[in-house]
């Protein structure tokens, strides 16, 4: 997608040094566009844990590139027992964001590929680089396909409204910043925009880190898409008054039965959508499915983040990004990163293979190879 008219992915190899991975540091958006160099395994772990990069797709790609960086470290430091070192590196990477299944999926994909290579470090470096590039390219292609499938839903609404603007509500950032390119929830929106369909996006601010107001609004603006930032609590009101035609959100982990873990607050949007007969869709690639979990509420681990994210807010003041305390300094705060939306509240899933019901039967109809 474009930034000031120039196309970018969210993660790539530095053009003059392929041993350095570069990412868009999302902490500074929308006020500053910062590109960060990731040189060490610790750099990658910190980037994921501290949310320099965030979003299921780019977290997965970062994990894959993290294993490549770890293999380079093993060579530079003449590590004996390369396999043991890389297994340890994989555990460090996976521990950074436990809810996002894309991370463990990408890291485990690297591990499976390098185990047969034993301690042949040159072969391992070549293989991990190849897989990291493949993971990134696959994410781009899958997100493009999500757009092609999901745009049908927007087209149908546009036709029913005789060409009037389609109002779409989204939550958090499941856009190209949360993936390698295109995004999941935003991909159908971008495709509709390219086709000349009139769209308007209600952008939840998404407290406490405000990924909607800082990231989704910024990228929609960069692509020239009509949008309005709203407080998280306004979604239900808009639905009651017929101002939302469809809700499209992303997923950090989805069970094979259709329960979806996504950014905290998604569940409340789904409840409001159900009560107001507003279609509620989840857009995701196959790497966001957890094929070992059937009950999302009971089985998906929910990350609890630092309480300071709730008590402080970050913004631009007199040309500098500053952090401000907004709560009593001594009051405790809880910071649950995700919630689970049960399948019964979800109209359908938009995947790279098509649209299906949020059910075991619906999901396996698109992924029959996963049936045991």
């Amino acid at each position: 997608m474009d930034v000031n008219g120039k196309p970018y992915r969210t993660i790539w190899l530095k053009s003059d040094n392929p041993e350095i991975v570069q990412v868009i540091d999302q902490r500074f958006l929308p006020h500053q566009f910062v590109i960060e160099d990731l040189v060490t395994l610790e750099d990658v772990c910190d980037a994921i844990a501290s949310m320099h990069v965030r979003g299921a797709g780019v977290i997965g790609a970062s994990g894959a590139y993290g294993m490549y960086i770890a293999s380079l470290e093993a060579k530079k430091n003449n590590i004996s027992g390369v396999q043991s070192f890389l297994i340890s590196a994989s555990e460090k990477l996976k521990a950074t964001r436990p809810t996002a299944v894309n991370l463990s999926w990408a890291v485990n994909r690297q591990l499976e590929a390098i185990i047969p290579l034993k301690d042949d470090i040159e072969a391992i470096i070549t293989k991990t680089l190849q897989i990291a590039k493949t993971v990134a390219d696959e994410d781009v292609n899958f997100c493009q396909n999500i757009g092609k499938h999901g745009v049908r839903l927007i087209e149908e609404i546009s036709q029913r409204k005789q060409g009037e603007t389609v109002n779409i509500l989204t939550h958090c950032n499941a856009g190209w910043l949360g993936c390698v390119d295109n995004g999941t929830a935003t991909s159908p929106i971008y495709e509709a925009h390219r086709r000349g369909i009139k769209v308007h996006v209600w952008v939840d601010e998404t407290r406490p880190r405000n990924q909607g107001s800082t990231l989704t609004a910024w990228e929609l603006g960069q692509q020239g898409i009509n949008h309005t930032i709203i407080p998280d609590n306004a979604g239900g009101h808009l639905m009651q008054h017929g101002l939302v035609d469809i809700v499209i959100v992303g997923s950090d982990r989805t069970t094979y039965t259709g329960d979806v873990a996504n950014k905290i607050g998604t569940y409340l949007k789904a409840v409001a959508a159900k009560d107001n007969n507003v279609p509620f869709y989840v857009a995701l690639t196959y790497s966001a499915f957890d094929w070992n979990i059937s009950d999302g509420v009971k089985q998906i681990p929910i990350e609890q983040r630092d309480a300071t994210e709730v008590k402080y807010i970050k913004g631009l003041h007199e040309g500098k990004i500053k952090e401000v305390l907004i709560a009593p300094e001594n009051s405790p705060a809880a910071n649950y990163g995700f919630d689970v939306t049960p399948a019964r509240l979800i109209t359908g899933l938009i995947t790279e293979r098509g649209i299906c019901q949020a059910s075991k039967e619906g999901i396996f109809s698109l992924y029959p190879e996963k049936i045991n």
Side-chain angles (χ1 to χ4, degrees):
M1 306 301 288
D2 289 342
V3 178
N4 298 323
K6 180 180 177 180
Y8 281 90
R9 287 186 174 188
T10 55
I11 185 168
W12 64 94
L13 293 177
K14 192 171 184 179
S15 60
D16 59 354
N17 187 348
E19 294 188 357
I20 296 176
V21 175
Q22 294 189 300
V23 297
I24 298 172
D25 190 337
Q26 299 182 28
R27 295 173 299 167
F28 297 93
L29 291 172
H31 310 299
Q32 299 173 13
F33 182 69
V34 175
I35 294 173
E36 180 181 14
D37 289 351
L38 305 180
V39 181
T40 68
L41 174 64
E42 290 304 317
D43 288 343
V44 179
C45 288
D46 183 56
I48 299 171
S50 301
M51 296 177 72
H52 308 197
V53 294
R54 32 81 27 230
V58 71
I59 285 175
S62 298
Y65 275 110
M67 290 297 289
Y68 164 64
I69 292 291
S71 68
L72 291 174
E73 279 192 17
K75 179 182 178 181
K76 291 174 185 175
N77 297 323
N78 294 315
I79 299 292
S80 60
V82 173
Q83 290 282 342
S84 296
F85 175 79
L86 292 176
I87 290 171
S88 175
S90 74
E91 295 304 319
K92 290 179 181 178
L93 285 164
K94 288 188 284 188
T96 56
R97 297 297 304 276
T99 300
V101 74
N102 295 64
L103 177 58
S104 58
W105 166 82
V107 171
N108 289 338
R109 184 170 172 177
Q110 289 279 34
L111 282 177
E112 290 171 5
I114 63 179
I115 285 173
L117 303 177
K118 300 186 179 180
D119 283 353
D120 185 342
I121 189 59
E122 294 297 338
I124 288 173
I125 290 172
T126 299
K127 178 59 71 172
T128 53
L129 177 57
Q130 174 195 335
I131 290 177
K133 289 179 176 179
T134 299
V135 167
D137 289 342
E138 284 180 354
D139 188 72
V140 174
N141 292 332
F142 290 163
C143 287
Q144 287 176 338
N145 288 336
I146 284 173
K148 292 173 182 176
H149 293 301
V151 74
R152 299 201 309 266
L153 303 171
I154 300 174
E155 284 178 327
E156 290 169 2
I157 296 170
S158 176
Q159 290 169 4
R160 288 202 303 270
K161 297 183 73 172
Q162 298 181 330
E164 292 183 13
T165 299
V166 178
N167 290 297
I168 304 159
L169 186 143
T170 191
H171 188 66
C172 195
N173 176 257
W176 76 267
L177 288 168
C179 299
V180 179
D181 206 348
N182 295 294
T184 52
T186 57
S187 192
I189 298 169
Y190 291 139
E191 184 63 27
H193 181 67
R194 283 190 286 265
R195 297 186 185 191
I197 300 171
K198 294 179 182 178
V199 294
H200 167 262
V201 184
W202 296 110
V203 181
D204 280 353
E205 61 181 344
T206 322
R207 286 278 295 144
R209 291 188 64 97
N210 299 315
Q211 296 102 319
S213 60
T214 59
L215 302 179
T216 301
W218 178 80
E219 67 169 80
L220 290 172
Q222 287 288 328
Q223 313 313 315
I225 292 178
N226 191 18
H227 63 281
T228 304
I229 299 167
I230 57 171
D232 287 345
N233 295 334
H237 168 78
L238 295 173
M239 293 183 208
Q240 282 181 326
H241 290 271
L243 298 175
V244 178
D245 296 306
I246 186 171
V247 181
I248 308 177
V249 301
S251 168
D252 287 271
R253 183 182 298 216
T254 295
T255 69
Y256 66 84
T257 56
D259 297 337
V260 172
N262 194 51
K263 182 57 58 182
I264 194 76
T266 303
Y267 169 56
L268 296 179
K269 295 300 182 298
V271 171
K274 188 75 169 181
D275 191 52
N276 291 281
N277 297 313
V278 175
F280 183 97
Y281 283 89
V282 177
L284 72 164
T285 67
Y286 87 98
S287 60
F289 284 105
D290 189 327
W291 304 102
N292 299 310
I293 289 180
S294 60
D295 189 322
V297 175
K298 293 181 179 179
Q299 294 178 288
I300 294 178
I302 299 300
E303 176 183 355
Q304 294 193 49
R305 298 185 57 79
D306 193 324
T308 58
E309 293 181 349
V310 176
K311 295 173 64 175
Y312 287 80
I313 196 163
K314 188 182 294 185
L316 189 69
H317 178 67
E318 296 181 345
K320 294 183 179 180
I321 296 176
K322 296 184 178 180
E323 200 169 57
V324 179
L325 178 66
I326 59 173
E329 187 172 5
N330 295 322
S331 290
N335 187 10
Y336 296 93
F338 304 87
D339 58 25
V340 174
T341 300
R344 59 184 167 78
L345 298 176
I346 299 170
T347 308
L349 306 177
I350 311 169
T351 80
E352 78 283 354
R353 296 189 182 183
I355 301 174
C356 69
Q357 291 185 335
S359 66
K360 180 178 178 180
E361 294 74 20
I363 293 167
F364 283 142
S365 72
L366 293 183
Y367 299 94
E369 73 277 12
K370 294 297 183 179
I371 300 174
N372 292 327

